[in-house]
Amino acid sequence: MMKLATDNLADVTERNSGKKTESKSVTSLLIRCLIFSFYLWQFAFVVNAAELKEIQQRGYLIVAVKDNLRPLSFRDAAGNLQGLEIDLAKRLAQEILGNSEAIKFVPVTNRDRLRVVLEGQVDLTIARVTATAARQRVVRFSIPYYMDGIALVTKEPNVQRLGDLTQQKIAILKGSSTIAKLRFILPKAQLVGVDSYQEGRSLLESNGAVAFAADVSVLTGWVQKYPEYRLLPTLLSAEPLAVVMPKGIQYDDLRRVVNEAIDRGKKQGWLPQLATSWGLPWDKVNK
């Protein structure tokens, strides 16, 4: 009887085990189907970006820009968009359509700068985007139109060069990649973290720090707004700003036109002239 009971128990266990295995297989299949459906749903709502011929047929260029980043792209007192990146976008419209005013600007936040290109909402993004290897996996970049970099701003008359900050307090945005660079270049300096540019300026105004470190493109706007401040002449890094474009061989013509225009702008001199007219430094780093 004991043997029979054991055999019966084994049979039941085997049957239950088979059911569990079958249940796991069904569950796994359902999960795979759900994942596949999710990807199909995503692609169903993604609009392909326009190719060069489509842009020309449409008659205007759509470009994502910032509207609060002086001197790259900002609104003037009348609400009009101004800045280096706005001027560059108009040059590209001239190259592509023969009309620098045939352009529609779409203001975007930092987190949406790549997404609007990926989803085909704009043709290009020109919004202080640094070309990186990670971003290159999802979008394509033009050749750099400007080399940004870390700079320091101060109003202290006794601070004229980088060496004058060796053991001074320097304000810096919390979590910024600038921290590592400053620690390497000025290991004895005292870095003071701040949450915003406004907090950084307040710290300098209260003598809590003698300088502020950030991107030169942003600090140039700071100096223009607060002329009592000045930039130190040394850049601590070189970071390429580039036009964001869609991936795919179908966009090769668009990328070629954009790259040729930027290259021609450097050779003919109008691109550095635009940069310097907006107060941005253009030195051997940008050549």
Side-chain angles (χ1 to χ4, degrees):
M1 295 290 294
M2 181 65 69
K3 187 178 185 298
L4 181 60
T6 304
D7 290 344
N8 288 340
L9 181 59
D11 290 341
V12 171
T13 302
E14 184 177 350
R15 286 196 298 272
N16 287 342
S17 177
K19 289 179 180 179
K20 288 180 180 178
T21 301
E22 183 180 352
S23 177
K24 287 181 180 179
S25 298
V26 172
T27 302
S28 177
L29 179 61
L30 286 172
I31 291 173
R32 288 197 297 269
C33 288
L34 285 171
I35 292 173
F36 182 69
S37 298
F38 174 75
Y39 281 114
L40 285 179
W41 176 83
Q42 277 192 315
F43 285 120
F45 286 91
V46 173
V47 180
N48 289 330
E51 298 176 33
L52 180 60
K53 289 183 179 179
E54 294 175 287
I55 295 171
Q56 292 170 334
Q57 290 171 356
R58 181 208 297 149
Y60 61 92
L61 190 63
I62 307 174
V63 182
V65 296
K66 298 285 291 179
D67 64 357
N68 59 353
L69 192 60
R70 184 186 183 104
L72 293 179
S73 182
F74 65 102
R75 293 192 185 278
D76 61 16
N80 299 313
L81 285 166
Q82 302 286 334
L84 171 63
E85 293 178 335
I86 300 301
D87 289 345
L88 175 59
K90 290 181 177 180
R91 284 277 185 166
L92 295 179
Q94 180 66 42
E95 292 285 336
I96 294 171
L97 299 161
N99 181 0
S100 62
E101 298 301 319
I103 189 167
K104 176 183 177 182
F105 291 113
V106 180
V108 291
T109 61
N110 283 349
R111 67 179 181 181
D112 291 331
R113 293 175 297 178
L114 302 189
R115 182 185 62 80
V116 290
V117 171
L118 290 171
E119 295 183 358
Q121 296 181 29
V122 300
D123 304 316
L124 310 168
T125 288
I126 312 177
R128 198 187 162 275
V129 181
T130 303
T132 64
R135 290 169 174 166
Q136 187 79 16
R137 295 173 185 171
V138 293
V139 295
R140 284 290 179 263
F141 289 106
S142 69
I143 61 175
Y145 58 84
Y146 186 74
M147 293 299 291
D148 206 358
I150 300 168
L152 292 118
V153 68
T154 185
K155 66 174 182 176
E156 296 296 326
N158 60 336
V159 177
Q160 297 293 327
R161 57 189 181 85
L162 200 59
D164 296 331
L165 294 169
T166 302
Q167 298 186 36
Q168 300 285 355
K169 289 184 178 181
I170 302 174
I172 191 168
L173 292 173
K174 293 177 182 178
S176 169
S177 59
T178 307
I179 296 173
K181 293 184 176 72
L182 273 180
R183 289 199 186 282
F184 178 76
I185 296 171
L186 296 170
K188 294 183 180 181
Q190 302 175 56
L191 305 186
V192 184
V194 295
D195 292 316
S196 66
Y197 284 92
Q198 185 57 46
E199 186 180 336
R201 179 171 175 267
S202 297
L203 193 65
L204 266 62
E205 290 293 317
S206 64
N207 297 316
V210 299
F212 185 84
D215 296 309
V216 68
S217 58
V218 179
L219 292 183
T220 297
W222 176 323
V223 171
Q224 291 173 358
K225 189 174 182 180
Y226 308 109
E228 66 270 25
Y229 287 91
R230 56 189 167 75
L231 288 167
L232 294 187
T234 304
L235 289 183
L236 308 186
S237 66
E239 300 166 3
L241 300 187
V243 178
V244 182
M245 298 176 282
K247 289 182 71 172
I249 59 173
Q250 67 270 39
Y251 305 110
D252 282 351
D253 289 340
L254 176 61
R255 291 195 291 267
R256 175 182 51 77
V257 171
V258 170
N259 284 330
E260 287 178 352
I262 294 173
D263 184 57
R264 190 161 47 251
K266 291 179 179 179
K267 291 177 178 177
Q268 294 178 351
W270 58 257
L271 190 51
Q273 286 174 8
L274 284 176
T276 54
S277 71
W278 288 107
L280 289 160
W282 186 285
D283 53 21
K284 60 183 179 181
V285 176
N286 274 287
K287 293 179 180 178

